[in-house]
Amino acid sequence: IIYGLFFSAGWVLDRHPNALMTMSERYGFNMILGCMGALISFGLEQHFLLQVDHPFRWLAKSIALFIYALGSVSLSLGFIGLFTKKFTKENKVWRYISDASYWIYLTHLPVVFYLQAKLAPFLWSWWIKLSITSVTTFVVLTITYQLGVRYMFIGRILNSKRKI
């Protein structure tokens, strides 16, 4: 469901670029809706996780996952709207990250899985492991984007033609 929602939202935005203007006006609503969805789904999940034998645990988990999916899409749309409204000036750093983001999105899972497996034996806090995994994945894939994708054939497919 969640991938279908994200795909549908992306498809609609691709087909209707003027929808970005509407989203930029409603970014606050989408951000609030997304945060509420995350909090409600996490609350339901935590409450019923501890009650393994509860007869409606499956229902609460299903509802929590559905609310989480809607909240994730709302939060993503909120961030798109925020950036569309507040960050309108051209910026070379953001442009580069924007160009690299599709490559990073397409290739991040194997890197994340590898790093998770390597960090699993360490008894560090989750936020340390998350930070190491996130930063390392971003740096490694940004380097691979620059060296092997940006000005190559695959870069033209991902980002269309660019000026060298």
Side-chain angles (χ1 to χ4, degrees):
I1 291 174
I2 194 167
Y3 292 121
L5 287 171
F6 276 108
F7 178 83
S8 299
W11 183 81
V12 168
L13 287 175
D14 184 57
R15 298 287 184 246
H16 304 284
N18 56 343
L20 286 173
M21 289 304 295
T22 303
M23 283 181 18
S24 69
E25 298 301 322
R26 297 183 185 160
Y27 78 89
F29 173 77
N30 281 323
M31 298 285 273
I32 290 169
L33 191 63
C35 289
M36 286 175 46
L39 291 173
I40 291 169
S41 65
F42 290 145
L44 280 172
E45 183 71 22
Q46 289 302 310
H47 180 73
F48 285 96
L49 260 180
L50 302 174
Q51 301 179 25
V52 178
D53 295 331
H54 194 283
F56 295 110
R57 182 173 188 258
W58 66 271
L59 180 61
K61 187 168 182 115
S62 299
I63 292 170
L65 289 172
F66 183 75
I67 292 171
Y68 178 77
L70 289 176
S72 295
V73 172
S74 294
L75 202 54
S76 295
L77 294 175
F79 274 112
I80 291 170
L82 172 71
F83 277 84
T84 301
K85 185 164 181 90
K86 302 292 184 184
F87 298 95
T88 56
K89 292 182 181 177
E90 182 69 26
N91 182 306
K92 290 181 181 184
V93 173
W94 286 115
R95 178 78 244 169
Y96 184 86
I97 292 171
S98 173
D99 289 347
S101 66
Y102 194 40
W103 170 253
I104 293 169
Y105 165 72
L106 290 174
T107 59
H108 78 281
L109 279 179
V111 178
V112 169
F113 290 160
Y114 174 80
L115 291 170
Q116 285 178 333
K118 288 296 182 186
L119 293 175
F122 297 102
L123 299 175
W124 300 339
S125 177
W126 66 268
W127 62 268
I128 293 173
K129 292 179 181 182
L130 174 67
S131 299
I132 291 170
T133 301
S134 299
V135 170
T136 304
T137 300
F138 180 77
V139 169
V140 166
L141 293 179
T142 302
I143 290 169
T144 63
Y145 173 75
Q146 179 62 36
L147 298 177
V149 175
R150 186 167 171 86
Y151 297 109
M152 304 298 178
F153 172 73
I154 195 164
R156 286 191 295 276
I157 291 172
L158 296 177
N159 298 324
S160 69
K161 279 186 149 183
R162 76 170 51 263
K163 297 175 188 173
I164 296 179

